[in-house]
């Protein structure tokens, strides 16, 4: 009878594989956490500096969202954008 070293070896490789996957996931989670993570829009770190995009005001964000949803046409979007830009100055 084999009660020592070879007992139930079939579970050895799946458990080892799961442990390796868990370690890799923990490393990825730690890197993402300490690297700044993402903001609410899903952008990583400080992408506004990298992409040249300046911080938008809440009014501009709402206007952009409404235009993206199709609630505003292009001319109405441009008119309202001018008003927001004038108020920002």
């Amino acid at each position: 009878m084999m009660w020592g070293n070879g007992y139930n070896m079939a579970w050895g490789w799946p458990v080892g594989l799961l442990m390796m996957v868990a370690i890799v996931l923990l490393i990825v989670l730690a890197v993402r956490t300490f690297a700044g993570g993402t903001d609410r829009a899903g952008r990583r770190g400080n992408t506004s500096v990298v992409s040249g995009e300046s911080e938008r005001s809440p009014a501009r964000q709402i206007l952009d969202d409404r235009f993206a949803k199709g609630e505003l046409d292009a001319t109405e979007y441009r008119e309202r954008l001018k008003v927001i830009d004038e108020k920002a100055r």
Side-chain angles (χ1 to χ4, degrees):
M1 286 193 192
M2 191 178 343
W3 294 99
N5 295 333
Y7 185 72
N8 209 0
M9 288 286 289
W11 290 101
W13 71 269
V15 172
L17 181 65
L18 287 175
M19 291 293 286
M20 288 181 61
V21 169
I23 290 170
V24 169
L25 288 176
L26 284 173
I27 291 170
V28 168
L29 180 65
V31 168
R32 290 187 74 178
T33 300
F34 293 117
T38 59
D39 62 0
R40 290 182 182 211
R43 295 179 299 226
R44 298 208 29 87
N46 192 4
T47 57
S48 63
V49 174
V50 174
S51 66
E53 178 184 303
S54 62
E55 290 295 320
R56 296 184 298 173
S57 68
R60 173 72 187 265
Q61 290 175 348
I62 293 169
L63 183 65
D64 290 345
D65 290 342
R66 289 187 63 197
F67 181 66
K69 290 178 187 176
E71 296 175 5
L72 303 173
D73 60 351
T75 56
E76 189 174 5
Y77 173 78
R78 283 188 221 109
E79 290 173 4
R80 292 182 183 204
L81 187 59
K82 287 180 187 177
V83 172
I84 291 173
D85 288 342
E86 288 173 2
K87 288 184 178 182
R89 294 180 193 172

